[in-house]
Amino acid sequence: MARKYPGPGLIKNVRIEGFDYGIYVLHRQTSMTFENITLQNQKVAGIYNRDNILSIRGLSSINEVPVIQNLGLYGLVTVLDGDFSGGLPSQSAIENANGSILYARNIVTSGYQSAIKNNGQVIPGTTQHEFVSDPVLSLFPSPAMSLHLPIEDTPTVPHDPIENWVSVVDHGVDGVKKADPNDRENDDTAAIQAAMDSGAATIYFPQSTNNQGYYLVKDTITVGPKVRRIVGLNASVGIDWNHSFGDASNPKPIFRFEEGEHDVVVFEDFSYWGKNDAAANASPKYFVSYEHASSKTLVIKDSTDRGFRNTRGAGKLFVEGVVSVKPWVFTYPQQVWLRQFNPEGVGTQITNNGGDLWILGLKTERPSTVIETTAGGKTELLGGMIIPVEAASPDAVGFINNESSHSLIYAVNAELFAANYEIQIEETRNGVTKRKYRGDVPSRADGSKVALYTGYEDDTLVNDNFDSGINTGTISTSGSATIEISNEQAVSLNNSLKISDTTNTSVPPYHPSVKWSFNEQSDNMLRVSFHIRKETTRYSAFFLDLIGSGIKRGRVRYSTNSIVVQDSSAGFTTIASNLSDQRWYQVEIEISTRTTARTYAVTVKELDGTIIGRRSDLKFWGNNSGSIDQVVFIDDGSDASILYLDDVIVEPAVQIFTNGFE
């Protein structure tokens, strides 16, 4: 892929052994997508990318050399789910430099000194849960991580024996010898429908002397209940748009997928053409290629089309290697996975109304809105090359999020300054609209590049609806705020309690706090669980104060990719190291409130429960005399820290918080 211009393309399920490079990409257009690739025994690097946009998922490597080198000024690599083994301890598995952008997620390595080297700096850790080479952008407060929508592989449907395939020609198709605008006599609708209704599981459209692969229809083809696969063999299905497809207010679909016997239907290897009068002088407008009107899963592959729409209750949709010159509109919520999708139409190219839309590799043309997410939808774009081609209107918006959620990784390839979106992203949240302009994002020559933009509320972490008289789910102030709870109360919170502070002083009580009162003579053990994340330029910390006749203090802090504790020695001890920025970790603390002990233990876990660090011999410092009847959890606030409190259990009393974080 060293010649102009590679892509857009999808390559998957390939093993490459030997050579200097397994994959070698130079030029900055027009993006490539890779999935389930295995690399072995390369001499220089597994993948070399200078300036293009690569979206990769499921990459395995057995190599001593670097797995990925992303080294050009304009390069952007998105890589998910990497398993890299065999590396030399002098090498990092991924090398990113010279202004290129890297987004890496779920990367596991062995042998290498680290998973990533970014601009000459070795990033600690042989695993990386989520890494972004450049600052994460947002318009509203949002997590500094991609949406992490569920990922499903495109279903694999076995081919029927070829002797059982049914040809549309066998049912009387006439076809046309070429896409001739003056030939309107043939109508293959009835014959194609007869093939669909024949009871065969596989229907195909052959090229022959009579039709040369061109078919003309004048009404919708319904894909019947027996059909499992439709194979185009690069056939072109045309319509006479001055005939029954000419209603702009209610365009007809060419293929309508209705309920059937099979869980998955595959549609592959088609293109479309239109017969129109010279007076129209335009490509066919008033139809869509597909209407998904079934609860069953639909797979569309290796085709060129004129748009998509769904109906309420449509099943899962998987798309691979599709070009569309008309909009794709998900009118109703739907689960959608797009791999290397290439919309090139005028108007909003993809509309997601309330669905879950996951995209690995996107390439566009025309200065239209690329994706509009509305009605509570969720859109995750993992690598895209946006090519406006021509000058964009000053009012054109690249991406729109209207009271919904999206995360975006993309680059705009502009051949001239005017061929870029002045408004890159527009987002509306709780009735307030903000915009991010081209001057707000890094440039890519006359275009733009965005390592990660996030626009969504972290509702998986915080629930503001409490049910026990505590009606504030977020303590967020520039002064003090305290929730007081007695262990005599049976208090239950539906989800995590966010403790956030915008001040920059470390003197309690001028920070949000949560206080528990108890009877020390009951010999309590207090168990606290929370999740914590280091922000881009901040660390999170808190005090645990035992209060009675004196104050005893302990501290846990997340700083410099490590979680450390401070105990009676007044020094810091590392509990867990080589942690990823902007990644959540679970911290559990056990506190003995007995007068003679006053000790605590700290355990750090991955969110799946894997323990990555523990200390059990920690002691509070301060006044060790007198009784203790309160424990106060106070945000340190040293640099606008944020943490989420999940569980507090006082034993032998009742559990007073319910863990709602997953």
Side-chain angles (χ1 to χ4, degrees), residues 268-342:
E268 57 189 340
D269 201 17
F270 276 85
S271 62
Y272 296 87
W273 57 280
K275 289 179 163 298
N276 48 44
D277 288 330
N281 194 27
S283 61
K285 299 179 181 179
Y286 306 140
F287 72 95
V288 294
S289 294
Y290 326 104
E291 183 177 74
H292 192 180
S294 165
S295 62
K296 302 301 177 65
T297 295
L298 175 62
V299 177
I300 302 174
K301 301 170 60 177
D302 306 326
S303 296
T304 301
D305 66 48
R306 296 290 200 272
F308 173 97
R309 73 185 184 202
N310 64 3
T311 63
R312 192 181 302 277
K316 296 177 180 179
L317 174 67
F318 297 84
V319 175
E320 292 188 349
V322 167
V323 180
S324 183
V325 298
K326 295 299 173 187
W328 277 49
V329 181
F330 302 104
T331 306
Y332 301 97
Q334 187 171 10
Q335 287 184 286
V336 181
W337 292 266
L338 306 181
R339 290 164 166 89
Q340 189 49 63
F341 184 58
N342 181 16

Side-chain angles (χ1 to χ4, degrees), residues 553-594:
R553 182 166 293 163
R555 180 182 294 173
V556 174
R557 173 177 291 166
Y558 188 164
S559 180
T560 319
N561 303 105
S562 299
I563 292 180
V564 299
V565 298
Q566 185 176 13
D567 63 4
S568 59
S569 66
F572 284 98
T573 301
T574 299
I575 300 294
S577 60
N578 296 327
L579 305 181
S580 299
D581 285 2
Q582 304 156 26
R583 171 76 175 176
W584 289 107
Y585 294 95
Q586 196 83 14
V587 180
E588 295 179 354
I589 302 173
E590 298 171 308
I591 307 165
S592 171
T593 63
R594 290 174 292 178

Side-chain angles (χ1 to χ4, degrees), residues 151-210:
I151 302 174
E152 293 189 15
D153 292 328
T154 302
T156 300
V157 177
H159 286 84
D160 295 313
I162 196 167
E163 59 268 21
N164 295 336
W165 292 21
V166 168
S167 167
V168 295
V169 173
D170 294 340
H171 286 267
V173 161
D174 291 323
V176 293
K177 291 187 177 181
K178 61 180 179 178
D180 182 357
N182 299 313
D183 180 1
R184 301 179 183 281
E185 300 304 319
N186 292 327
D187 180 3
D188 297 321
T189 307
I192 294 173
Q193 188 62 62
M196 296 293 172
D197 296 337
S198 67
T202 299
I203 309 298
Y204 73 103
F205 289 63
Q207 297 193 31
S208 67
T209 303
N210 291 332

Side-chain angles (χ1 to χ4, degrees), residues 104-108 115-116 123-131 580:
R105 191 165 92 200
N106 297 337
I107 306 299
V108 178
I116 295 170
I123 306 301
T126 55
T127 65
Q128 285 290 340
H129 299 288
E130 187 165 13
F131 173 86
S580 299

